[in-house]
Amino acid sequence: MENAAGMISDSDNARLLIRHSIRFDNPVNNNYDPLLLTPEGIELAKKIGSVIDRPIGECLSSTIKRCVQTARYICEGVDKKYCQEIPEIRETKILADTLGATNANIGWHEYFHYLQIGNKEMCRGITLEMEIKRLIDTVFWTKGEAGKLDLICTHDSHIIIAASALFDLRTGLDGHDWCRYAEGLFFTGTRNDFTAFWRGEKRRFVDYLI
């Protein structure tokens, strides 16, 4: 992500859509919601903050606490000249849920594979376009003040949706090439005309799903 950040002008607003940091394993009763960041995850979030060299703007987060934690600890790690106090972290269910992954009656990796290849039957009528539109709309909720970095903290599902729709990521039935903890995409521009940055590549989108 540092390489992508280096491709963005200091005068531009940048939005970082990022997966939460490292969490604890072994969920009780397969319920992942209560899992918080590990000490290693907290340090990783602070380390990410320590390399941010522009003022922090707005912060959005999934309602799941590990995402709120990640946004907070990233801000804690930022040099005080860029972030004197942690901004309000606005939570939204859109960054916590997908339209179909939890009710498709197939495995996690399988759902995203079928989403990527356009198999509406296996995804119970949900398409990649439906998933990405609500996500992109949410990314551009922030005002986008020039020269600032807006943080948008979410889950692996949303990073995969964005990378699949915008950069043709294909993870297969086994979930290979899945995103890592605290990995994300940068966005510049406006909802009508934006550029996305992912793993060293950038692409421009005009009037995307509007």
Side-chain angles (χ1 to χ4, degrees):
M1 292 194 302
E2 287 187 56
N3 290 337
M7 301 166 71
I8 299 172
S9 168
D10 290 343
S11 62
D12 286 341
N13 171 264
R15 295 173 171 90
L16 174 58
L17 178 71
I18 187 170
R19 184 187 181 186
H20 60 76
S21 193
I22 304 165
R23 60 161 175 77
F24 284 99
D25 291 325
N26 303 319
V28 178
N29 298 325
N30 206 33
N31 180 9
Y32 286 77
D33 288 357
L35 297 181
L36 302 181
L37 299 187
T38 64
E40 182 184 8
I42 292 171
E43 288 307 309
L44 175 59
K46 290 181 178 180
K47 182 177 180 181
I48 291 170
S50 72
V51 299
I52 291 175
D53 59 357
R54 64 173 66 205
I56 296 294
E58 297 179 66
C59 291
L60 303 179
S61 174
S62 159
T63 54
I64 304 302
K65 190 168 182 181
R66 59 183 171 273
C67 293
V68 179
Q69 282 184 298
T70 299
R72 180 176 293 112
Y73 285 121
I74 287 175
C75 290
E76 281 190 15
V78 177
D79 190 293
K80 295 303 181 186
K81 70 179 178 181
Y82 298 121
C83 184
Q84 292 185 355
E85 60 182 31
I86 297 174
E88 176 190 3
I89 300 172
R90 295 157 50 204
E91 301 176 29
T92 173
K93 287 282 287 181
I94 294 174
L95 293 171
D97 300 330
T98 60
L99 292 173
T102 57
N103 63 10
N105 288 341
I106 53 178
W108 188 251
H109 291 152
E110 287 87 347
Y111 173 74
F112 291 98
H113 166 69
Y114 291 124
L115 202 66
Q116 290 161 354
I117 67 173
N119 190 325
K120 292 176 66 175
E121 180 179 359
M122 295 299 291
C123 293
R124 292 196 169 185
I126 303 300
T127 65
L128 185 57
E129 289 76 16
M130 293 164 64
E131 293 278 22
I132 186 61
K133 184 182 187 308
R134 68 199 292 265
L135 178 58
I136 290 297
D137 288 345
T138 304
V139 166
F140 285 92
W141 276 357
T142 66
K143 296 175 184 176
E145 293 185 62
K148 292 189 176 182
L149 174 68
D150 297 332
L151 288 174
I152 304 162
C153 193
T154 186
H155 303 268
D156 55 345
S157 52
H158 294 73
I159 303 303
I160 294 299
I161 286 167
S164 299
L166 304 179
F167 291 93
D168 306 312
L169 177 68
R170 296 296 179 263
T171 53
L173 289 169
D174 60 352
H176 68 269
D177 207 21
W178 202 255
C179 69
R180 299 178 294 276
Y181 285 116
E183 184 178 15
L185 301 88
F186 284 98
F187 295 86
T188 60
T190 65
R191 177 64 182 86
N192 293 347
D193 184 355
F194 66 86
T195 299
F197 302 77
W198 163 256
R199 293 181 176 175
E201 185 179 356
K202 70 175 183 178
R203 294 186 183 181
R204 183 182 177 190
F205 300 85
V206 178
D207 293 336
Y208 181 73
L209 297 179
I210 291 177

